[in-house]
């Protein structure tokens, strides 16, 4: 199984690592460093060298309490970087956005995948995604980033996240995005308690029948910090353990800040998983 990302292929037959490139001034673990296209390209080249299969460029901080970003601000941050990276690298570049204008312009300058934490629910987003012909990642988010961590409640988190993603996949299919260009993501940390996140990880294999693949982002997130009682700079080992569990449970793409280490951990996991 391969995804056609604007002409660059993303192979889902082996674990794919998605390297995170934040182009926000305030992102929680590596913010402010990669606002300049030159700095962004240097960082992306390192991640590609380390084995990233795709680079995810994000210009909207979805951290709880983060200021909202205007369309123009997000375009100004994201477009120069997406354009530069697309030209310079042989791997596809994904754009982490919920705004249809940003999706459209990013696609125009060569983005290979639309990664939307709001699952194409913003007015106009679905149409842009259909027209772009790009693969999409649909993520589950409960509430709004500003308030999503204020006591999120579910009667059954796994069933509710599954039902939401199944519905969004159906809506996308009806609009003309075939299932084989759709990825789904339970959205670790997005309106979930530690217990919800752990149940989603434990039962991640249930999501694999929904679309072409499951993508997960757990790298450095607070669920790791809560389990280990460590700050964001000391969550690598925990993040690797979570990445291995996710792969074992059938995830195809792991989104991470630490590409080299994640590629190595997943290499061992995939070998064991493939053994007879
Ligand atoms: C502040 C809070 C900054 C949270 C950044 C974040 C995901 C994503 C993000 C994910 C998909 C982060 C997040 N997380 N896209 N974008 N899945 N598909 O930790 O889990 O990087 S932003």
């Amino acid at each position: 199984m391969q995804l056609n990302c604007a002409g660059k292929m993303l192979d889902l037959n082996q674990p794919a690592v998605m390297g995170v490139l934040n182009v926000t001034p305030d992102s929680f673990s590596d913010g402010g460093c990669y606002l300049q296209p030159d700095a962004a390209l240097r960082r992306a080249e390192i991640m590609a060298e380390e084995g990233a299969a795709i680079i995810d460029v994000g210009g909207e901080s979805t951290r709880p309490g983060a200021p909202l970003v205007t369309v123009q601000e997000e375009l100004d941050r994201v477009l120069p970087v997406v354009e530069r990276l697309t030209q310079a690298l042989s791997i596809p570049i994904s754009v982490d956005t919920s705004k249809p204008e940003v999706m459209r312009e990013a696609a125009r300058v060569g983005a290979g995948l639309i990664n939307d934490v709001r699952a194409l629910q913003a007015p106009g987003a679905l149409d842009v995604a259909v027209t772009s012909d790009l693969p999409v990642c649909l993520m589950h988010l409960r509430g709004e980033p500003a308030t999503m961590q204020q006591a999120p409640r579910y009667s059954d988190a796994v069933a509710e996240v599954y039902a939401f993603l199944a519905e969004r996949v159906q809506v996308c299919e009806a609009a003309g995005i075939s299932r084989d260009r759709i990825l789904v993501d339970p959205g670790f940390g997005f309106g979930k308690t530690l217990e919800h996140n752990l149940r989603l990880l434990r039962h991640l294999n249930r999501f694999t029948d929904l679309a072409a693949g499951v993508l997960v982002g757990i790298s450095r997130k607070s669920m790791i910090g809560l389990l280990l009682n460590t700050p964001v700079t000391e969550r690598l080992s925990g993040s690797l353990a979570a990445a291995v569990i996710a792969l074992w449970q059938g995830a195809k793409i792991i989104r991470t800040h630490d590409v080299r280490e994640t590629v190595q951990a997943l290499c061992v996991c995939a070998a064991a998983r493939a053994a007879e």
Side-chain angles (χ1 to χ4, degrees):
M1 175 69 101
Q2 303 234 329
L3 292 180
N4 183 345
C5 302
K8 295 172 181 171
M9 300 313 277
L10 181 60
D11 184 8
L12 298 182
N13 300 312
Q14 58 189 71
V17 168
M18 170 184 269
V20 176
L21 190 71
N22 283 315
V23 291
T24 56
D26 60 355
S27 196
F28 83 116
S29 66
D30 57 358
C33 307
Y34 311 119
L35 279 163
Q36 295 303 320
D38 284 342
L41 178 58
R42 281 195 295 276
R43 176 69 190 136
E45 281 172 339
I46 289 170
M47 291 196 284
E49 182 78 19
E50 291 177 344
I54 182 166
I55 307 277
D56 190 39
V57 175
E60 180 207 21
S61 177
T62 41
R63 175 171 51 83
L68 292 176
V69 178
T70 65
V71 172
Q72 194 56 52
E73 208 173 341
E74 205 178 316
L75 286 168
D76 290 345
R77 288 179 189 171
V78 164
L79 286 188
V81 173
V82 169
E83 183 164 31
R84 186 75 177 277
L85 267 50
T86 298
Q87 289 169 355
L89 301 177
S90 60
I91 57 174
I93 306 305
S94 95
V95 59
D96 188 344
T97 189
S98 296
K99 296 184 176 70
E101 300 88 346
V102 178
M103 294 173 187
R104 187 195 310 111
E105 293 306 303
R108 195 176 54 77
V109 299
L113 186 144
I114 294 168
N115 174 27
D116 184 3
V117 300
R118 293 179 185 80
L120 304 177
Q121 291 180 104
L126 184 58
D127 286 347
V128 171
V130 171
T131 308
S132 74
D133 236 19
L134 297 177
V136 298
C137 177
L138 307 174
M139 199 196 80
H140 175 271
L141 187 165
R142 165 63 60 85
E144 262 300 303
T147 53
M148 66 189 177
Q149 289 306 100
Q150 293 170 12
R153 295 182 64 87
Y154 301 80
S155 62
D156 181 339
V158 177
E160 287 172 53
V161 172
Y162 184 93
F164 170 84
L165 292 173
E167 199 260 338
R168 294 309 299 163
V169 169
Q170 275 201 342
V171 168
C172 286
E173 271 196 303
I177 305 177
S178 72
R179 198 173 279 247
D180 58 16
R181 55 180 261 236
I182 302 175
L183 301 166
V184 292
D185 181 338
F188 289 99
F190 285 88
K192 284 121 189 153
T193 65
L194 174 60
E195 188 193 346
H196 299 142
N197 288 317
L198 290 172
R199 289 198 61 227
L200 287 164
L201 185 58
R202 171 70 181 83
H203 297 290
L204 195 70
N205 60 332
R206 295 196 205 166
F207 293 83
T208 55
D209 67 354
L210 277 173
V214 172
L215 185 156
V216 302
I218 312 184
S219 177
R220 302 183 184 175
K221 282 188 179 170
S222 68
M223 65 180 284
I224 307 296
L226 286 168
L227 289 166
L228 304 180
N229 193 26
T230 53
V232 70
T233 51
E234 285 160 57
R235 296 179 186 170
L236 175 58
S237 303
S239 299
L240 294 176
V244 164
I245 295 163
L247 190 77
W248 193 268
Q249 295 282 39
K252 301 266 195 229
I253 304 178
I254 308 293
R255 185 179 178 279
T256 181
H257 303 83
D258 301 289
V259 172
R260 184 194 306 278
E261 295 87 347
T262 304
V263 166
Q264 289 185 348
L266 297 185
C267 177
V268 173
C269 180
R273 203 165 181 269
E276 288 188 33

